[in-house]
Amino acid sequence: MRQFGLIGQSLAHSWSPRWFAAHFERQGITDACYCLYEMEGLDGLRELIEKEQLQGFNVTIPYKEAIIPYLDQLDDHARAIGAVNCVTVESSRLTGHNTDAPAFLDTLQPLLRPCHTAALVLGTGGAAKAVKYALESIGIDVQLVSRTPEAHPGSISYATAVAESARRLLIVNATPMGMFPHTDASPWPTNSVPTPYQLRFDLVYNPEETLFLREGRLHGAAVCNGLAMLHRQAELSWTLWDKGM
């Protein structure tokens, strides 16, 4: 049995196993399994890979950046982004990839309008870095937003971001705020009314409509959750794993 999985700290929210189970069934793949592996830290990563005989795995919060020193190499995109969400295992050699960036772009582009030339990306972690890289690759001006901008050079505060939202009509939540089970939370001030043509994209997919998206939709903004992005990055991850076998 070929073993794959997801590594993170808290994985109760993840729908990745159901996607892979459905994918394996559709493709008639009977010798592969995808499991969740919660880890309190990464020091035991190599031991886990050996014990479970992992042939590839995804990486999620909070390890997309922290995992890099544990890898043997990065592909060009992961190196440029500075974050990894997919790892291939070949003869015990670990290579980091980033399928978040192309998956985000594939999901977002059909929703873009000519007015979406500048974006606010909420967060400064690995997911935010992937989003920034993807947006800049198609010429969209990106501003990262942080609750602690003093600790993240180049980012701005949420108060400043609200003022910026009048011209930055694309707002992407790349934080876990609002994710199950904390569904009553939002990264964005709920009293901030969207301007016309605002597009809100939330990388969170569980719940399917976060408070951030619901507030936007009720005030006329276009909204999209991260479910299609999840499926696309999983598909791209499987392509990387399957190619190496």
Side-chain angles (χ1 to χ4, degrees):
M1 182 69 69
R2 294 181 290 165
Q3 195 76 15
F4 306 90
L6 174 65
I7 288 174
Q9 195 169 72
S10 179
L11 301 175
H13 69 282
S14 179
W15 291 357
S16 291
R18 70 172 69 175
W19 185 90
F20 278 100
H23 176 73
F24 295 153
E25 184 174 357
R26 285 193 304 270
Q27 299 299 317
I29 299 169
T30 59
D31 66 339
C33 181
Y34 188 96
C35 300
L36 300 178
Y37 298 100
E38 292 190 346
M39 301 183 71
E40 288 302 317
L42 293 173
D43 288 344
L45 178 64
R46 295 275 178 173
E47 289 79 1
L48 174 69
I49 293 168
E50 184 175 352
K51 176 186 175 186
E52 299 294 326
Q53 292 295 292
L54 289 175
Q55 297 184 38
F57 57 92
N58 291 122
V59 184
T60 192
I61 299 168
Y63 299 136
K64 291 185 179 184
E65 297 166 281
I67 198 169
I68 291 176
Y70 294 84
L71 305 177
D72 297 299
Q73 63 183 24
L74 303 176
D75 73 11
D76 291 342
H77 295 296
R79 185 179 300 106
I81 293 167
V84 165
N85 77 300
C86 177
V87 176
T88 52
V89 183
E90 299 177 77
S91 301
S92 299
R93 187 168 181 82
L94 308 183
T95 302
H97 309 267
N98 194 297
T99 63
D100 277 340
F104 169 73
L105 205 54
D106 289 349
T107 308
L108 174 74
Q109 282 191 296
L111 308 174
L112 292 176
R113 302 179 65 175
C115 60
H116 298 135
T117 59
L120 294 166
V121 176
L122 313 183
T124 55
K129 288 181 176 180
V131 168
K132 182 175 186 290
Y133 178 84
L135 292 175
E136 290 180 341
S137 75
I138 59 170
I140 293 179
D141 180 44
V142 178
Q143 176 61 66
L144 296 181
V145 183
S146 174
R147 296 194 179 279
T148 55
E150 65 281 358
H152 298 94
S155 67
I156 61 174
S157 68
Y158 277 80
T160 303
V162 169
E164 285 279 300
S165 66
R167 69 178 189 88
R168 294 182 180 270
L169 296 175
L170 171 60
I171 305 178
V172 181
N173 177 34
T175 80
M177 288 284 288
M179 184 170 66
F180 176 85
H182 306 295
T183 57
D184 58 347
S186 173
W188 191 251
T190 55
N191 61 352
S192 174
V193 178
T195 55
Y197 310 112
Q198 187 178 101
L199 169 59
R200 293 188 178 189
F201 191 111
D202 201 331
L203 270 60
V204 172
Y205 58 83
N206 181 11
E208 293 188 27
E209 186 177 65
T210 59
L211 179 57
F212 171 65
L213 293 185
R214 183 163 66 253
E215 289 285 330
R217 178 179 58 79
L218 291 176
H219 287 95
V223 301
C224 182
N225 70 17
L227 187 58
M229 176 183 165
L230 170 76
H231 293 169
R232 181 61 178 147
Q233 70 82 20
E235 182 180 23
L236 293 170
S237 294
W238 177 252
T239 298
L240 286 169
W241 299 331
D242 203 34
K243 183 172 64 176
M245 296 173 190

